Amino acid sequence: ALDFSEPALIAAKELATKLGVDLDTVHCDVYSAKEQIAKKFDFVFTGIGALCWLPDINKWAEVVSDLLKPGGFVFFREGHPMLWSIGDSKPNGDLAIELDYFEGEADLSAEETTYAGEGKLDHPEIISFNHGLAEVFNALWANGFDIELFEEHRSVPWNPLADEFIKIEGFDEWELVDKPNRLAASYTVLARKR
């Protein structure tokens, strides 16, 4: 497990121990991974919602490629760039495209609580980046990957828009309250290294 957050790595290690799994952890940012890890892997998994924190998606794809054996694959589920382009809901409940879909300037915002809803943040400033689908696919292709699976989903495993989303009964997923088929909220990709 690799993360820039020491508490996240501690939590991952504790969970692995409970599951009886031996887990090595690396404390660094993703762009430094290939300097910190000499081993090559059969697959890399990037957790959902991770790509929006990365300013350079091509550099991410390069690092992932460097960590994989030939024939290895990367699998990730990510918030859809359409979801990331939606601004705050309007008083009448309408959704509005207010943020960049294509890579551009960083989006600066603030959240008082954690995305998991577990307390107040000491530093509520947020810097995120939207990466359009073509940008992600082109980065993968340019770094030696063939895309074997691409699927878009109308749900996401957190509530991204307060009252506009509702939890799907029986699942840890959220979708639009009104006409959920009108918004791709997340997507999954499996890409194999040539």
Side-chain angles (χ1 to χ4, degrees):
L2 178 141
D3 205 300
F4 71 94
S5 167
E6 191 70 35
L9 290 172
I10 291 168
K13 193 78 165 175
E14 289 171 356
L15 178 60
T17 300
K18 284 181 187 176
L19 296 172
V21 174
D22 185 30
L23 179 68
D24 293 327
T25 60
V26 178
H27 183 218
C28 71
D29 69 76
V30 70
Y31 297 135
S32 303
K34 63 185 182 177
E35 287 83 29
Q36 300 292 321
I37 303 172
K39 185 176 179 180
K40 300 288 184 183
F41 298 91
D42 294 319
F43 76 94
V44 169
F45 171 74
T46 298
I48 187 165
L51 298 185
C52 69
W53 307 117
L54 303 176
D56 187 339
I57 203 70
N58 189 66
K59 180 74 171 167
W60 165 82
E62 178 186 322
V63 168
V64 171
S65 181
D66 286 342
L67 292 174
L68 284 171
K69 298 175 185 174
F73 67 91
V74 59
F75 179 82
F76 60 95
R77 182 172 179 205
E78 183 59 37
H80 201 285
M82 280 304 301
L83 175 64
W84 298 135
S85 68
I86 294 175
D88 292 333
S89 301
K90 303 300 170 209
N92 65 359
D94 286 348
L95 301 176
I97 308 271
E98 295 179 340
L99 306 171
D100 291 342
Y101 173 92
F102 298 102
E103 182 178 11
E105 298 293 319
D107 179 48
L108 307 175
S109 60
E111 292 287 336
E112 295 298 321
T113 59
T114 70
Y115 62 83
E118 299 171 352
K120 292 255 185 200
L121 294 170
D122 292 334
H123 303 283
E125 303 81 18
I126 295 174
I127 301 171
S128 60
F129 306 87
N130 202 0
H131 303 290
L133 294 177
E135 181 188 354
V136 173
F137 288 4
N138 286 330
L140 290 167
W141 287 322
N143 286 283
F145 289 95
D146 292 320
I147 296 170
E148 294 186 359
L149 171 109
F150 169 63
E151 187 70 39
E152 294 174 291
H153 314 282
R154 69 184 199 184
S155 65
V156 69
W158 71 88
N159 184 350
L161 294 171
D163 294 338
E164 301 306 318
F165 270 61
I166 189 169
K167 190 169 186 182
I168 301 170
E169 190 172 331
F171 295 95
D172 286 332
E173 294 280 321
W174 297 75
E175 66 183 6
L176 279 174
V177 172
D178 184 39
K179 298 185 242 172
N181 282 337
R182 65 189 164 123
L183 177 68
S186 64
Y187 68 99
T188 51
V189 171
L190 186 148
R192 190 170 305 275
K193 183 177 176 178
R194 291 190 286 275

